[in-house]
Amino acid sequence: MFRVKAFCLIEAIHLATGCPRLAGRLIHPAVVCHVHHWTKRSTDSMWSYRTGPNSSGEAGVSALQTKIMEQGELPVLLVNEVGGVRGVLKAHVEFLKKHFHLITMKEFLKNKKHWSKKVQAIYLWWHKPIIDRELLESLPDLKVIANSGVGMDHLDLKLISSFGVKMANAPHAVSSSTADTGMALLLASARRLVEGCQTAVSPDTECFADDLLGDEVTGATLGIIGMGSIGYKIALRAKAFEMKILYHNRNRRTEEEERAVGAIYCTKIEDLLQQSDFVMLVVSLTPQTHKLIGKRELELMKPTATLINISRGPVVDQDALVEALQTGVIKAAALDVTYPEPLPRDHPLLKLKNILITPHLGIKTDKTTRMITEEAVANILAALNGLPIPNEVFP
Ligand SMILES: O=C(O)[C@H](O)CO
């Protein structure tokens, strides 16, 4: 057991550095000792965070915490607010307080002079607080900003890095629930679940119509654009639905990985668009993927095809999508992301019948949000201890 858990921490650092020898050297003896201690406790921790695909990272969190505790008071962590629309979840506060002295933006702004030289880390929850030059200038001891998700498009990475501040995201925590959301949208859209539910519960319904016909998912072709860890998990799920899987990605997966999910690589995105019954967008938002799907790409899709977006709204040219849905260029769309979020209430997308929109539900499960906070805490503690950050993001 000890070996397994100790390996997990080493593996996390190894993954971050790409260097097993360095990882071995970087582990402080106190850390290893604490890992040993931890392995004797129950592994049923509510906070069972994983640093890597197969590792439990709590060892990393508690060990690093021990080191900080030995040196004195808890490091100060700035969050936007607690609870509310854009605040860290109340249920996570106890865990955060075990590792940090937590202050909110309100407290910070109220006594900026006192706090500015104390804040060492920021935990962004749902993209807040906004990180701009003014905030960065007011925090001379800030070491790290941890994001509560995988997408970093809301941050000016170059600006943050120019202040010597490190950044990290939470890719492992989010992948399964985001992939589940993608599949849920695909299935709900194909089988007209929302329409069906409305009919089933409507006070006007006297009998169920036989013509609420959907699209068969079994045997259909799914084109996945973006085959990172979320894209790959979608392929795993789609395989179980006996779908034919095409994918397009900057880097081709290994033959073994392709074989495991039965995915066929399309060098050209055009080939994928022309052949797919469902096109799922799973890319990060970057200058290269901004409006990746526009009028031309929509016209390449089959008129019977459905576009599913679980990445970021601006990956799709929304005006072109409205037109394509209104004129039957494609059959339907299912979007967990739009721009802005939410859409203005009079937006033309909201008036269409062949669309399904959800409120950025991707990561929203109790377990995933807890794992995100754990992944963020491990990232922050590594940064504050001068250790390689498990999920460091570079500009
Ligand atoms: O980026 C992510 O992981 C989610 O969309 C939450 O922001």
Side-chain angles (χ1 to χ4, degrees):
M1 183 67 138
F2 165 58
R3 277 164 183 274
V4 174
K5 298 297 174 188
F7 169 75
C8 294
L9 180 61
I10 294 167
E11 182 199 41
I13 295 170
H14 174 191
L15 279 172
T17 58
C19 174
R21 279 180 56 223
L22 181 62
R25 268 188 278 138
L26 278 168
I27 295 196
H28 190 279
V31 171
V32 176
C33 198
H34 196 81
V35 171
H36 193 179
H37 171 72
W38 176 79
T39 58
K40 288 185 178 159
R41 288 191 284 128
S42 160
T43 50
D44 295 332
S45 158
M46 173 170 142
W47 295 97
S48 57
Y49 151 77
R50 290 164 176 267
T51 44
N54 303 309
S55 64
S56 166
E58 189 187 327
V61 173
S62 42
L64 293 169
Q65 184 57 41
T66 302
K67 201 178 157 204
I68 287 177
M69 296 277 274
E70 281 164 4
Q71 289 162 2
E73 45 184 67
L74 293 174
V76 175
L77 175 70
L78 177 63
V79 296
N80 192 44
E81 55 179 338
V82 171
V85 185
R86 290 284 181 262
V88 291
L89 297 177
K90 281 188 184 152
H92 297 187
V93 168
E94 197 190 321
F95 173 68
L96 287 168
K97 281 188 172 170
K98 273 191 197 162
H99 302 284
F100 308 105
H101 181 97
L102 210 64
I103 64 156
T104 63
M105 273 303 277
K106 203 170 160 190
E107 286 165 303
F108 169 68
L109 294 172
K110 214 165 150 190
N111 199 349
K112 222 168 163 180
K113 208 169 159 211
H114 172 76
W115 289 117
S116 63
K117 285 207 172 131
K118 291 187 186 284
V119 173
Q120 286 188 277
I122 299 179
Y123 179 31
L124 293 176
W125 188 261
W126 218 250
H127 306 179
K128 294 283 178 354
I130 289 172
I131 307 295
D132 55 16
R133 183 177 288 280
E134 193 189 334
L135 183 63
L136 290 165
E137 278 172 353
S138 66
L139 299 172
D141 284 339
L142 181 66
K143 308 258 177 332
V144 60
I145 297 175
N147 186 40
S148 59
V150 65
M152 301 290 274
D153 49 280
H154 53 291
L155 293 171
D156 184 340
L157 303 183
K158 282 203 177 120
L159 175 76
I160 296 169
S161 171
S162 73
F163 280 81
V165 174
K166 309 242 184 220
M167 293 156 288
N169 65 355
H172 303 298
V174 302
S175 58
S176 295
S177 66
T178 309
D180 290 345
T181 303
M183 284 310 284
L185 284 174
L186 187 155
L187 293 167
S189 173
R191 300 305 306 275
R192 301 170 68 176
L193 281 199
V194 175
E195 228 178 312
C197 175
Q198 281 160 356
T199 306
V201 302
S202 164
D204 303 327
T205 300
E206 285 171 8
C207 63
F208 291 157
D210 317 334
D211 61 352
L212 200 67
L213 300 179
D215 294 321
E216 189 81 13
V217 170
T218 304
T221 300
L222 169 64
I224 302 172
I225 301 180
M227 196 62 140
S229 56
I230 300 172
Y232 196 75
K233 286 197 174 179
I234 289 162
L236 275 169
R237 286 153 176 73
K239 184 175 184 258
F241 281 89
E242 300 171 47
M243 299 186 84
K244 184 178 169 199
I245 301 162
L246 306 176
Y247 79 99
H248 175 79
N249 199 40
R250 266 176 312 180
N251 305 312
R252 187 171 175 172
R253 288 268 180 175
T254 63
E255 261 179 55
E256 201 185 345
E257 286 167 336
E258 286 180 356
R259 213 176 311 113
V261 291
I264 299 166
Y265 183 62
C266 294
T267 318
K268 289 194 197 154
I269 198 168
E270 288 81 0
D271 293 338
L272 177 148
L273 293 168
Q274 281 166 338
Q275 294 174 57
S276 300
D277 300 305
F278 299 92
V279 172
M280 179 106 61
L281 302 174
V282 204
V283 290
S284 312
L285 175 61
T286 64
Q288 292 72 38
T289 61
H290 186 257
K291 295 199 179 169
L292 180 72
I293 302 297
K295 187 172 162 58
R296 186 185 83 90
E297 290 71 25
L298 290 162
E299 282 171 357
L300 286 172
M301 288 172 66
K302 295 180 186 179
T304 50
T306 296
L307 179 73
I308 300 147
N309 190 6
I310 55 165
S311 58
R312 285 290 183 268
V315 170
V316 177
D317 178 341
Q318 251 169 215
D319 295 337
L321 179 63
V322 170
E323 201 186 319
L325 290 169
Q326 281 169 342
T327 57
V329 167
I330 63 167
K331 181 176 179 181
L335 313 173
D336 191 40
V337 287
T338 57
Y339 65 93
E341 288 176 10
L343 287 169
R345 296 299 85 187
D346 60 349
H347 194 280
L349 273 179
L350 302 183
K351 297 187 173 48
L352 298 171
K353 283 223 160 65
N354 48 349
I355 195 153
L356 199 164
I357 305 183
T358 48
H360 206 140
L361 290 179
I363 58 157
K364 286 186 185 146
T365 72
D366 184 44
K367 184 177 170 190
T368 294
T369 50
R370 275 191 282 124
M371 292 197 305
I372 286 173
T373 293
E374 289 169 339
E375 202 161 7
V377 168
N379 285 325
I380 295 169
L381 293 179
L384 298 187
N385 278 274
L387 291 170
I389 302 171
N391 302 298
E392 184 163 0
V393 176
F394 299 93

